[in-house]
Amino acid sequence: MQALGLVAEYNPFHNGHRYHLQQARLLTGADVVVAVMSGDFTQRGEPTILDKWQRTQAALANGVDLVVELPVFNAVQPAHRFAEGALRLLNDLQVATVVFGAEHPEWNFDSLVAAETKFKASNFKDYHATYATQFNQQLSAQTGYSLTDPNDILAFAYYKARQEGHYTMNLLPIQRRGNDYHDQTITGKLASASAIRAAWSDLKTIKNTVPAATMNELAQLQRLPSWELLYPILRNQLIQTPVEWLQQIYQMGEGIEYRMKEAAQRALTYADFIRLVKTKRYTYAYLSRLSLYVILNISKAEHDRHQQVPYHHVLGFNQVGQAYLNQVKKQLDYPLIVKVNRDERDGRFNLDYRAGKLYQNFTKVEQDMKHAPIRTVKEITLTSE
Amino acid sequence: MQALGLVAEYNPFHNGHRYHLQQARLLTGADVVVAVMSGDFTQRGEPTILDKWQRTQAALANGVDLVVELPVFNAVQPAHRFAEGALRLLNDLQVATVVFGAEHPEWNFDSLVAAETKFKASNFKDYHATYATQFNQQLSAQTGYSLTDPNDILAFAYYKARQEGHYTMNLLPIQRRGNDYHDQTITGKLASASAIRAAWSDLKTIKNTVPAATMNELAQLQRLPSWELLYPILRNQLIQTPVEWLQQIYQMGEGIEYRMKEAAQRALTYADFIRLVKTKRYTYAYLSRLSLYVILNISKAEHDRHQQVPYHHVLGFNQVGQAYLNQVKKQLDYPLIVKVNRDERDGRFNLDYRAGKLYQNFTKVEQDMKHAPIRTVKEITLTSE
């Protein structure tokens, strides 16, 4: 069986995702679709609108055969680390091709990676906005390309990760279709995930943009998972933790710990908190990821330790995905976690477990312990879309 | 001016407190009444029903002339440490007599203190229930007294603290009047604070039991401050903090950190959490105090450091209290904090500040920064009650 790999957040799973998936299948002629999906928190450090099991269910109902969780230490990261983590798992799962959307699929991304390799700014290792901006200015001057669209940046990151990992899979960028990432209007059957989230309670408006599996879950959503709801926890953590401890947090440094503590002491809402902390140096995404590391109390040492021991946490599959898993599982380099037990909880799965416990503030639903993968039966259908 | 000292939680200030206060004034003929009052958390580790400023207002409106805050590192403690902290401040404030309620004011408490001094159980230093029980059994066998009523235990603690501190003030236990501490029924004008809290939303029932100042504040209370409301914060703290860090928390040890972490991972409510953690060895009060130390992240080292630097945080006064403060302030051993500034916030006042920030989850009201003492004008009245 030949596999096609996707990297996704499915936040939530919508018609654009389904279209992308069908295109990918047509283009590659793959037998099985494997998605590496973020858990309960996104790349930008936000809680997902539906939990990972609900999103897995929707993905399986709409063409994905196997869903594996992208661990939180890769999922909630800037594009390059997100891509590294996802490709590492897809490579181990032996997918032949990874397909992803891009604004400029026609670009020679490998040449951009080569250009970046030359751009050695020793004092900009952390991929802050300042780094991205400077690199992009130089790239634009040298090549004429402007790497500013989030999907192009992610595409670039996949090429870079493939090169650095010496992976042999094909990379296939395809043109994004439908509304722009930033477009918040909903007109037809295709809308951006962020537009759908913004309109989540207006079921009539979003009805045409998402498949039934997503619609059913959104219809039962009581309140939108958000940082505002988590803010009392974050705030207390920042207030009660000494700065010397905060300095141990992954990605904390350069005095931002003092800014965050001071802001938490003053702000009663997350919006106010971010307004007080924000500077040109730090993007909103950087700060919300950092907020997540604080609330999950992820230390630098802990992050590095977990980063070195990847695993495949299986969230769900149909009979095709299961057959594929059986085909590859003996050759996997990384362990397969099918059901989280106490050893996993306190061991390598610990960060994901803790992220799931935080997410329980929204749903009350236990996210991991003894949770078996979702099993569905693939229906053989002939649909045009 | 001769001062009378009281130690109080006023949770909330009710008619029983007013009666007690009037009795104390009559018995001592004091010119001024000084109350050392807990801040926003009680001796049992619970958030107070009204904040410290609201309770100060009620106290000043009903006979107290000067209110000083009992710092959280003394206020949220077993009886003996609570009493130690309170008497230390009242001694520095040069009160002539401390008056307090007791079930058995006729007892010779000094002789009970002498009996305890003989009872040396080297392995029971922490005043757990087991210690109290064993001491009480021996005391009962030796003297016939049974030290089980909370007010008698506290009375005992004042005598002990006076002896250990070599203080010279008089101690005057007076008979408690009205409903029992544990009595939850409300019939007349006197009800226990716990009965009033339990009936807080039933304004008609509690109306006769509290003075107007308390009634006005309770009438505006939206929800009862409780551990249930703080539980998401406590829970996250316990889940996300490594046990090695939890072991640094004041009063944590003997493996209770593992029990608390495990319980937090499973329980979605504070009631369930306590049910899972509770053993015969630990009282409810012990566990809720420990929960507060966890949520405030008070380490053993930090507690010990703060314990050694007492201060007087002035919450409010009328012109009589102010005159008294002027009379004694030059002879005080401990500093006077009249308005909390940034140095106090980050320095000696830090634990109280952090407790106030936690309490902001209930009220949104800044508890300390730049908060001036409440000033009222004492009305000269001739009331029979």
Side-chain angles (χ1 to χ4, degrees), chain B residues 34 36 68 84-95 167-169 310-312 324-325 327-336:
Chain B
V34 177
V36 168
V68 169
E84 267 169 31
L87 250 57
R88 180 164 67 167
L89 295 189
L90 287 173
N91 176 65
D92 198 39
L93 288 166
Q94 302 176 21
V95 303
Y167 304 140
T168 55
M169 81 261 286
Y311 46 81
H312 303 283
Y324 184 73
L325 208 50
Q327 176 185 311
V328 299
K329 75 178 175 191
K330 287 194 178 153
Q331 298 130 51
L332 293 178
D333 281 341
Y334 310 142
L336 208 58

PDB file of all heavy atoms in Angstrom, chain B residues 34 36 68 84-95 167-169 310-312 324-325 327-336:
ATOM      1  N   VAL B  34      -8.696  47.618  69.326  1.00  0.00           N
ATOM      2  CA  VAL B  34      -7.807  47.286  68.215  1.00  0.00           C
ATOM      3  C   VAL B  34      -8.084  45.848  67.793  1.00  0.00           C
ATOM      4  O   VAL B  34      -8.008  44.938  68.621  1.00  0.00           O
ATOM      5  CB  VAL B  34      -6.326  47.398  68.641  1.00  0.00           C
ATOM      6  CG1 VAL B  34      -5.400  46.984  67.498  1.00  0.00           C
ATOM      7  CG2 VAL B  34      -6.016  48.805  69.126  1.00  0.00           C
ATOM      8  N   VAL B  36      -6.988  42.715  65.328  1.00  0.00           N
ATOM      9  CA  VAL B  36      -6.097  42.100  64.343  1.00  0.00           C
ATOM     10  C   VAL B  36      -6.955  41.106  63.587  1.00  0.00           C
ATOM     11  O   VAL B  36      -7.511  40.175  64.179  1.00  0.00           O
ATOM     12  CB  VAL B  36      -4.899  41.400  65.023  1.00  0.00           C
ATOM     13  CG1 VAL B  36      -4.159  40.525  64.031  1.00  0.00           C
ATOM     14  CG2 VAL B  36      -3.960  42.441  65.605  1.00  0.00           C
ATOM     15  N   VAL B  68      -6.043  46.034  61.928  1.00  0.00           N
ATOM     16  CA  VAL B  68      -4.741  45.694  61.362  1.00  0.00           C
ATOM     17  C   VAL B  68      -4.848  44.285  60.790  1.00  0.00           C
ATOM     18  O   VAL B  68      -5.524  43.431  61.372  1.00  0.00           O
ATOM     19  CB  VAL B  68      -3.649  45.779  62.459  1.00  0.00           C
ATOM     20  CG1 VAL B  68      -2.338  45.191  61.983  1.00  0.00           C
ATOM     21  CG2 VAL B  68      -3.471  47.223  62.914  1.00  0.00           C
ATOM     22  N   GLU B  84      -0.029  32.869  67.894  1.00  0.00           N
ATOM     23  CA  GLU B  84       1.317  33.452  67.998  1.00  0.00           C
ATOM     24  C   GLU B  84       1.433  34.745  67.200  1.00  0.00           C
ATOM     25  O   GLU B  84       1.904  35.769  67.694  1.00  0.00           O
ATOM     26  CB  GLU B  84       2.352  32.491  67.398  1.00  0.00           C
ATOM     27  CG  GLU B  84       3.019  31.533  68.358  1.00  0.00           C
ATOM     28  CD  GLU B  84       3.816  30.471  67.593  1.00  0.00           C
ATOM     29  OE1 GLU B  84       4.336  30.776  66.483  1.00  0.00           O
ATOM     30  OE2 GLU B  84       3.893  29.349  68.095  1.00  0.00           O
ATOM     31  N   GLY B  85       0.989  34.652  65.925  1.00  0.00           N
ATOM     32  CA  GLY B  85       1.095  35.806  65.031  1.00  0.00           C
ATOM     33  C   GLY B  85       0.253  36.965  65.509  1.00  0.00           C
ATOM     34  O   GLY B  85       0.680  38.126  65.483  1.00  0.00           O
ATOM     35  N   ALA B  86      -0.966  36.660  65.955  1.00  0.00           N
ATOM     36  CA  ALA B  86      -1.885  37.719  66.382  1.00  0.00           C
ATOM     37  C   ALA B  86      -1.370  38.396  67.646  1.00  0.00           C
ATOM     38  O   ALA B  86      -1.359  39.629  67.748  1.00  0.00           O
ATOM     39  CB  ALA B  86      -3.272  37.132  66.604  1.00  0.00           C
ATOM     40  N   LEU B  87      -0.917  37.591  68.621  1.00  0.00           N
ATOM     41  CA  LEU B  87      -0.444  38.176  69.872  1.00  0.00           C
ATOM     42  C   LEU B  87       0.848  38.970  69.687  1.00  0.00           C
ATOM     43  O   LEU B  87       1.074  39.976  70.363  1.00  0.00           O
ATOM     44  CB  LEU B  87      -0.255  37.091  70.938  1.00  0.00           C
ATOM     45  CG  LEU B  87      -1.300  37.185  72.056  1.00  0.00           C
ATOM     46  CD1 LEU B  87      -2.692  37.098  71.487  1.00  0.00           C
ATOM     47  CD2 LEU B  87      -1.072  36.148  73.133  1.00  0.00           C
ATOM     48  N   ARG B  88       1.661  38.518  68.762  1.00  0.00           N
ATOM     49  CA  ARG B  88       2.894  39.242  68.462  1.00  0.00           C
ATOM     50  C   ARG B  88       2.575  40.672  68.018  1.00  0.00           C
ATOM     51  O   ARG B  88       3.197  41.634  68.469  1.00  0.00           O
ATOM     52  CB  ARG B  88       3.653  38.486  67.365  1.00  0.00           C
ATOM     53  CG  ARG B  88       4.944  39.097  66.949  1.00  0.00           C
ATOM     54  CD  ARG B  88       5.815  38.123  66.179  1.00  0.00           C
ATOM     55  NE  ARG B  88       5.244  37.766  64.876  1.00  0.00           N
ATOM     56  CZ  ARG B  88       5.941  37.136  63.915  1.00  0.00           C
ATOM     57  NH1 ARG B  88       7.191  36.793  64.120  1.00  0.00           N
ATOM     58  NH2 ARG B  88       5.381  36.840  62.764  1.00  0.00           N
ATOM     59  N   LEU B  89       1.569  40.798  67.140  1.00  0.00           N
ATOM     60  CA  LEU B  89       1.189  42.138  66.670  1.00  0.00           C
ATOM     61  C   LEU B  89       0.523  42.947  67.781  1.00  0.00           C
ATOM     62  O   LEU B  89       0.819  44.137  67.967  1.00  0.00           O
ATOM     63  CB  LEU B  89       0.252  42.039  65.456  1.00  0.00           C
ATOM     64  CG  LEU B  89       0.832  41.422  64.182  1.00  0.00           C
ATOM     65  CD1 LEU B  89      -0.151  41.598  63.020  1.00  0.00           C
ATOM     66  CD2 LEU B  89       2.179  42.045  63.804  1.00  0.00           C
ATOM     67  N   LEU B  90      -0.380  42.313  68.523  1.00  0.00           N
ATOM     68  CA  LEU B  90      -1.093  43.043  69.581  1.00  0.00           C
ATOM     69  C   LEU B  90      -0.139  43.481  70.688  1.00  0.00           C
ATOM     70  O   LEU B  90      -0.317  44.538  71.296  1.00  0.00           O
ATOM     71  CB  LEU B  90      -2.235  42.178  70.145  1.00  0.00           C
ATOM     72  CG  LEU B  90      -3.431  42.025  69.205  1.00  0.00           C
ATOM     73  CD1 LEU B  90      -4.433  41.009  69.759  1.00  0.00           C
ATOM     74  CD2 LEU B  90      -4.125  43.373  68.966  1.00  0.00           C
ATOM     75  N   ASN B  91       0.863  42.661  70.962  1.00  0.00           N
ATOM     76  CA  ASN B  91       1.871  43.041  71.955  1.00  0.00           C
ATOM     77  C   ASN B  91       2.644  44.272  71.485  1.00  0.00           C
ATOM     78  O   ASN B  91       2.830  45.227  72.246  1.00  0.00           O
ATOM     79  CB  ASN B  91       2.827  41.876  72.187  1.00  0.00           C
ATOM     80  CG  ASN B  91       3.948  42.245  73.149  1.00  0.00           C
ATOM     81  OD1 ASN B  91       3.696  42.514  74.328  1.00  0.00           O
ATOM     82  ND2 ASN B  91       5.175  42.280  72.660  1.00  0.00           N
ATOM     83  N   ASP B  92       3.033  44.236  70.199  1.00  0.00           N
ATOM     84  CA  ASP B  92       3.769  45.380  69.653  1.00  0.00           C
ATOM     85  C   ASP B  92       2.895  46.637  69.662  1.00  0.00           C
ATOM     86  O   ASP B  92       3.389  47.739  69.845  1.00  0.00           O
ATOM     87  CB  ASP B  92       4.247  45.056  68.232  1.00  0.00           C
ATOM     88  CG  ASP B  92       5.373  45.988  67.775  1.00  0.00           C
ATOM     89  OD1 ASP B  92       6.248  46.318  68.612  1.00  0.00           O
ATOM     90  OD2 ASP B  92       5.387  46.373  66.592  1.00  0.00           O
ATOM     91  N   LEU B  93       1.593  46.431  69.475  1.00  0.00           N
ATOM     92  CA  LEU B  93       0.665  47.561  69.481  1.00  0.00           C
ATOM     93  C   LEU B  93       0.278  47.982  70.908  1.00  0.00           C
ATOM     94  O   LEU B  93      -0.555  48.862  71.105  1.00  0.00           O
ATOM     95  CB  LEU B  93      -0.604  47.213  68.679  1.00  0.00           C
ATOM     96  CG  LEU B  93      -0.427  47.137  67.146  1.00  0.00           C
ATOM     97  CD1 LEU B  93      -1.631  46.462  66.493  1.00  0.00           C
ATOM     98  CD2 LEU B  93      -0.197  48.525  66.554  1.00  0.00           C
ATOM     99  N   GLN B  94       0.894  47.344  71.877  1.00  0.00           N
ATOM    100  CA  GLN B  94       0.764  47.726  73.288  1.00  0.00           C
ATOM    101  C   GLN B  94      -0.648  47.676  73.859  1.00  0.00           C
ATOM    102  O   GLN B  94      -1.023  48.530  74.676  1.00  0.00           O
ATOM    103  CB  GLN B  94       1.365  49.124  73.507  1.00  0.00           C
ATOM    104  CG  GLN B  94       2.822  49.188  73.089  1.00  0.00           C
ATOM    105  CD  GLN B  94       3.393  50.597  73.215  1.00  0.00           C
ATOM    106  OE1 GLN B  94       2.876  51.438  73.935  1.00  0.00           O
ATOM    107  NE2 GLN B  94       4.482  50.847  72.511  1.00  0.00           N
ATOM    108  N   VAL B  95      -1.409  46.688  73.431  1.00  0.00           N
ATOM    109  CA  VAL B  95      -2.745  46.572  74.029  1.00  0.00           C
ATOM    110  C   VAL B  95      -2.586  46.050  75.461  1.00  0.00           C
ATOM    111  O   VAL B  95      -1.685  45.266  75.761  1.00  0.00           O
ATOM    112  CB  VAL B  95      -3.681  45.635  73.228  1.00  0.00           C
ATOM    113  CG1 VAL B  95      -3.816  46.107  71.794  1.00  0.00           C
ATOM    114  CG2 VAL B  95      -3.216  44.192  73.289  1.00  0.00           C
ATOM    115  N   TYR B 167       4.971  37.870  76.905  1.00  0.00           N
ATOM    116  CA  TYR B 167       4.177  39.102  76.828  1.00  0.00           C
ATOM    117  C   TYR B 167       3.552  39.387  78.182  1.00  0.00           C
ATOM    118  O   TYR B 167       3.335  38.475  78.983  1.00  0.00           O
ATOM    119  CB  TYR B 167       3.068  38.973  75.769  1.00  0.00           C
ATOM    120  CG  TYR B 167       3.575  38.621  74.395  1.00  0.00           C
ATOM    121  CD1 TYR B 167       2.870  37.716  73.599  1.00  0.00           C
ATOM    122  CD2 TYR B 167       4.747  39.181  73.876  1.00  0.00           C
ATOM    123  CE1 TYR B 167       3.309  37.382  72.331  1.00  0.00           C
ATOM    124  CE2 TYR B 167       5.194  38.850  72.612  1.00  0.00           C
ATOM    125  CZ  TYR B 167       4.474  37.942  71.839  1.00  0.00           C
ATOM    126  OH  TYR B 167       4.909  37.612  70.595  1.00  0.00           O
ATOM    127  N   THR B 168       3.232  40.660  78.394  1.00  0.00           N
ATOM    128  CA  THR B 168       2.694  41.037  79.709  1.00  0.00           C
ATOM    129  C   THR B 168       1.221  41.449  79.655  1.00  0.00           C
ATOM    130  O   THR B 168       0.642  41.810  80.684  1.00  0.00           O
ATOM    131  CB  THR B 168       3.510  42.210  80.285  1.00  0.00           C
ATOM    132  OG1 THR B 168       3.501  43.275  79.326  1.00  0.00           O
ATOM    133  CG2 THR B 168       4.948  41.788  80.576  1.00  0.00           C
ATOM    134  N   MET B 169       0.614  41.418  78.493  1.00  0.00           N
ATOM    135  CA  MET B 169      -0.800  41.828  78.409  1.00  0.00           C
ATOM    136  C   MET B 169      -1.697  40.859  79.200  1.00  0.00           C
ATOM    137  O   MET B 169      -1.336  39.705  79.435  1.00  0.00           O
ATOM    138  CB  MET B 169      -1.270  41.879  76.954  1.00  0.00           C
ATOM    139  CG  MET B 169      -1.657  40.549  76.341  1.00  0.00           C
ATOM    140  SD  MET B 169      -0.379  39.787  75.316  1.00  0.00           S
ATOM    141  CE  MET B 169      -0.434  40.776  73.857  1.00  0.00           C
ATOM    142  N   PRO B 310       7.621  40.397  60.795  1.00  0.00           N
ATOM    143  CA  PRO B 310       6.228  40.840  60.940  1.00  0.00           C
ATOM    144  C   PRO B 310       6.089  42.338  60.655  1.00  0.00           C
ATOM    145  O   PRO B 310       7.090  43.062  60.638  1.00  0.00           O
ATOM    146  CB  PRO B 310       5.907  40.534  62.399  1.00  0.00           C
ATOM    147  CG  PRO B 310       7.193  40.309  63.081  1.00  0.00           C
ATOM    148  CD  PRO B 310       8.267  40.112  62.071  1.00  0.00           C
ATOM    149  N   TYR B 311       4.884  42.734  60.395  1.00  0.00           N
ATOM    150  CA  TYR B 311       4.581  44.151  60.123  1.00  0.00           C
ATOM    151  C   TYR B 311       3.114  44.378  60.439  1.00  0.00           C
ATOM    152  O   TYR B 311       2.347  43.428  60.609  1.00  0.00           O
ATOM    153  CB  TYR B 311       4.851  44.483  58.643  1.00  0.00           C
ATOM    154  CG  TYR B 311       4.294  43.459  57.691  1.00  0.00           C
ATOM    155  CD1 TYR B 311       2.944  43.482  57.329  1.00  0.00           C
ATOM    156  CD2 TYR B 311       5.094  42.435  57.190  1.00  0.00           C
ATOM    157  CE1 TYR B 311       2.415  42.516  56.486  1.00  0.00           C
ATOM    158  CE2 TYR B 311       4.575  41.472  56.347  1.00  0.00           C
ATOM    159  CZ  TYR B 311       3.230  41.513  55.998  1.00  0.00           C
ATOM    160  OH  TYR B 311       2.710  40.556  55.181  1.00  0.00           O
ATOM    161  N   HIS B 312       2.760  45.642  60.509  1.00  0.00           N
ATOM    162  CA  HIS B 312       1.362  46.008  60.737  1.00  0.00           C
ATOM    163  C   HIS B 312       0.799  46.615  59.466  1.00  0.00           C
ATOM    164  O   HIS B 312       1.153  47.729  59.113  1.00  0.00           O
ATOM    165  CB  HIS B 312       1.251  47.046  61.858  1.00  0.00           C
ATOM    166  CG  HIS B 312       1.848  46.625  63.155  1.00  0.00           C
ATOM    167  ND1 HIS B 312       1.226  45.748  64.012  1.00  0.00           N
ATOM    168  CD2 HIS B 312       3.020  46.960  63.761  1.00  0.00           C
ATOM    169  CE1 HIS B 312       1.983  45.564  65.083  1.00  0.00           C
ATOM    170  NE2 HIS B 312       3.084  46.288  64.952  1.00  0.00           N
ATOM    171  N   TYR B 324      -4.781  56.651  68.598  1.00  0.00           N
ATOM    172  CA  TYR B 324      -4.027  55.595  69.285  1.00  0.00           C
ATOM    173  C   TYR B 324      -2.777  55.210  68.488  1.00  0.00           C
ATOM    174  O   TYR B 324      -1.699  55.025  69.040  1.00  0.00           O
ATOM    175  CB  TYR B 324      -4.917  54.369  69.527  1.00  0.00           C
ATOM    176  CG  TYR B 324      -4.187  53.306  70.314  1.00  0.00           C
ATOM    177  CD1 TYR B 324      -3.934  53.486  71.671  1.00  0.00           C
ATOM    178  CD2 TYR B 324      -3.732  52.145  69.704  1.00  0.00           C
ATOM    179  CE1 TYR B 324      -3.239  52.538  72.405  1.00  0.00           C
ATOM    180  CE2 TYR B 324      -3.034  51.186  70.423  1.00  0.00           C
ATOM    181  CZ  TYR B 324      -2.793  51.388  71.780  1.00  0.00           C
ATOM    182  OH  TYR B 324      -2.095  50.448  72.490  1.00  0.00           O
ATOM    183  N   LEU B 325      -2.963  55.089  67.182  1.00  0.00           N
ATOM    184  CA  LEU B 325      -1.843  54.746  66.306  1.00  0.00           C
ATOM    185  C   LEU B 325      -0.727  55.801  66.437  1.00  0.00           C
ATOM    186  O   LEU B 325       0.454  55.462  66.514  1.00  0.00           O
ATOM    187  CB  LEU B 325      -2.354  54.664  64.869  1.00  0.00           C
ATOM    188  CG  LEU B 325      -1.630  53.742  63.894  1.00  0.00           C
ATOM    189  CD1 LEU B 325      -1.439  52.353  64.462  1.00  0.00           C
ATOM    190  CD2 LEU B 325      -2.425  53.666  62.591  1.00  0.00           C
ATOM    191  N   GLN B 327      -0.182  57.561  68.996  1.00  0.00           N
ATOM    192  CA  GLN B 327       0.405  57.423  70.346  1.00  0.00           C
ATOM    193  C   GLN B 327       1.496  56.345  70.377  1.00  0.00           C
ATOM    194  O   GLN B 327       2.540  56.532  70.996  1.00  0.00           O
ATOM    195  CB  GLN B 327      -0.716  57.072  71.330  1.00  0.00           C
ATOM    196  CG  GLN B 327      -0.250  56.794  72.759  1.00  0.00           C
ATOM    197  CD  GLN B 327      -1.410  56.323  73.636  1.00  0.00           C
ATOM    198  OE1 GLN B 327      -2.478  56.942  73.661  1.00  0.00           O
ATOM    199  NE2 GLN B 327      -1.208  55.217  74.350  1.00  0.00           N
ATOM    200  N   VAL B 328       1.243  55.227  69.673  1.00  0.00           N
ATOM    201  CA  VAL B 328       2.180  54.094  69.796  1.00  0.00           C
ATOM    202  C   VAL B 328       3.195  53.978  68.671  1.00  0.00           C
ATOM    203  O   VAL B 328       4.181  53.252  68.794  1.00  0.00           O
ATOM    204  CB  VAL B 328       1.421  52.741  69.925  1.00  0.00           C
ATOM    205  CG1 VAL B 328       0.551  52.722  71.175  1.00  0.00           C
ATOM    206  CG2 VAL B 328       0.610  52.441  68.660  1.00  0.00           C
ATOM    207  N   LYS B 329       2.968  54.664  67.578  1.00  0.00           N
ATOM    208  CA  LYS B 329       3.739  54.305  66.387  1.00  0.00           C
ATOM    209  C   LYS B 329       5.248  54.510  66.498  1.00  0.00           C
ATOM    210  O   LYS B 329       6.014  53.795  65.858  1.00  0.00           O
ATOM    211  CB  LYS B 329       3.175  54.979  65.136  1.00  0.00           C
ATOM    212  CG  LYS B 329       3.449  56.420  64.957  1.00  0.00           C
ATOM    213  CD  LYS B 329       2.841  56.860  63.612  1.00  0.00           C
ATOM    214  CE  LYS B 329       2.987  58.357  63.432  1.00  0.00           C
ATOM    215  NZ  LYS B 329       2.200  58.831  62.282  1.00  0.00           N
ATOM    216  N   LYS B 330       5.668  55.424  67.342  1.00  0.00           N
ATOM    217  CA  LYS B 330       7.114  55.633  67.466  1.00  0.00           C
ATOM    218  C   LYS B 330       7.808  54.530  68.268  1.00  0.00           C
ATOM    219  O   LYS B 330       9.022  54.383  68.199  1.00  0.00           O
ATOM    220  CB  LYS B 330       7.393  56.996  68.089  1.00  0.00           C
ATOM    221  CG  LYS B 330       7.109  58.116  67.095  1.00  0.00           C
ATOM    222  CD  LYS B 330       7.670  59.444  67.507  1.00  0.00           C
ATOM    223  CE  LYS B 330       7.372  60.477  66.415  1.00  0.00           C
ATOM    224  NZ  LYS B 330       7.298  61.840  66.948  1.00  0.00           N
ATOM    225  N   GLN B 331       7.018  53.800  69.029  1.00  0.00           N
ATOM    226  CA  GLN B 331       7.628  52.724  69.836  1.00  0.00           C
ATOM    227  C   GLN B 331       7.467  51.338  69.205  1.00  0.00           C
ATOM    228  O   GLN B 331       7.827  50.340  69.816  1.00  0.00           O
ATOM    229  CB  GLN B 331       6.997  52.712  71.235  1.00  0.00           C
ATOM    230  CG  GLN B 331       7.220  54.001  72.015  1.00  0.00           C
ATOM    231  CD  GLN B 331       5.913  54.522  72.587  1.00  0.00           C
ATOM    232  OE1 GLN B 331       5.173  53.790  73.238  1.00  0.00           O
ATOM    233  NE2 GLN B 331       5.625  55.786  72.353  1.00  0.00           N
ATOM    234  N   LEU B 332       6.895  51.288  68.019  1.00  0.00           N
ATOM    235  CA  LEU B 332       6.663  49.977  67.399  1.00  0.00           C
ATOM    236  C   LEU B 332       7.985  49.302  67.012  1.00  0.00           C
ATOM    237  O   LEU B 332       8.895  49.960  66.512  1.00  0.00           O
ATOM    238  CB  LEU B 332       5.804  50.128  66.136  1.00  0.00           C
ATOM    239  CG  LEU B 332       4.355  50.582  66.314  1.00  0.00           C
ATOM    240  CD1 LEU B 332       3.688  50.723  64.940  1.00  0.00           C
ATOM    241  CD2 LEU B 332       3.579  49.602  67.177  1.00  0.00           C
ATOM    242  N   ASP B 333       8.059  48.001  67.259  1.00  0.00           N
ATOM    243  CA  ASP B 333       9.218  47.232  66.797  1.00  0.00           C
ATOM    244  C   ASP B 333       9.062  46.862  65.319  1.00  0.00           C
ATOM    245  O   ASP B 333      10.049  46.700  64.608  1.00  0.00           O
ATOM    246  CB  ASP B 333       9.357  45.932  67.594  1.00  0.00           C
ATOM    247  CG  ASP B 333       9.987  46.172  68.962  1.00  0.00           C
ATOM    248  OD1 ASP B 333      10.628  47.238  69.126  1.00  0.00           O
ATOM    249  OD2 ASP B 333       9.827  45.308  69.839  1.00  0.00           O
ATOM    250  N   TYR B 334       7.830  46.693  64.901  1.00  0.00           N
ATOM    251  CA  TYR B 334       7.579  46.235  63.528  1.00  0.00           C
ATOM    252  C   TYR B 334       7.121  47.403  62.666  1.00  0.00           C
ATOM    253  O   TYR B 334       6.428  48.301  63.150  1.00  0.00           O
ATOM    254  CB  TYR B 334       6.500  45.140  63.503  1.00  0.00           C
ATOM    255  CG  TYR B 334       6.757  44.028  64.486  1.00  0.00           C
ATOM    256  CD1 TYR B 334       5.702  43.443  65.183  1.00  0.00           C
ATOM    257  CD2 TYR B 334       8.048  43.550  64.730  1.00  0.00           C
ATOM    258  CE1 TYR B 334       5.922  42.418  66.094  1.00  0.00           C
ATOM    259  CE2 TYR B 334       8.277  42.538  65.644  1.00  0.00           C
ATOM    260  CZ  TYR B 334       7.206  41.972  66.332  1.00  0.00           C
ATOM    261  OH  TYR B 334       7.429  40.968  67.229  1.00  0.00           O
ATOM    262  N   PRO B 335       7.478  47.369  61.388  1.00  0.00           N
ATOM    263  CA  PRO B 335       7.108  48.498  60.523  1.00  0.00           C
ATOM    264  C   PRO B 335       5.597  48.600  60.312  1.00  0.00           C
ATOM    265  O   PRO B 335       4.873  47.614  60.412  1.00  0.00           O
ATOM    266  CB  PRO B 335       7.821  48.174  59.204  1.00  0.00           C
ATOM    267  CG  PRO B 335       8.095  46.714  59.252  1.00  0.00           C
ATOM    268  CD  PRO B 335       8.260  46.347  60.683  1.00  0.00           C
ATOM    269  N   LEU B 336       5.174  49.796  60.015  1.00  0.00           N
ATOM    270  CA  LEU B 336       3.777  50.084  59.754  1.00  0.00           C
ATOM    271  C   LEU B 336       3.609  50.201  58.234  1.00  0.00           C
ATOM    272  O   LEU B 336       4.311  50.986  57.602  1.00  0.00           O
ATOM    273  CB  LEU B 336       3.451  51.425  60.425  1.00  0.00           C
ATOM    274  CG  LEU B 336       2.049  51.737  60.898  1.00  0.00           C
ATOM    275  CD1 LEU B 336       1.551  50.720  61.893  1.00  0.00           C
ATOM    276  CD2 LEU B 336       2.038  53.136  61.528  1.00  0.00           C
TER     277      LEU B 336
END
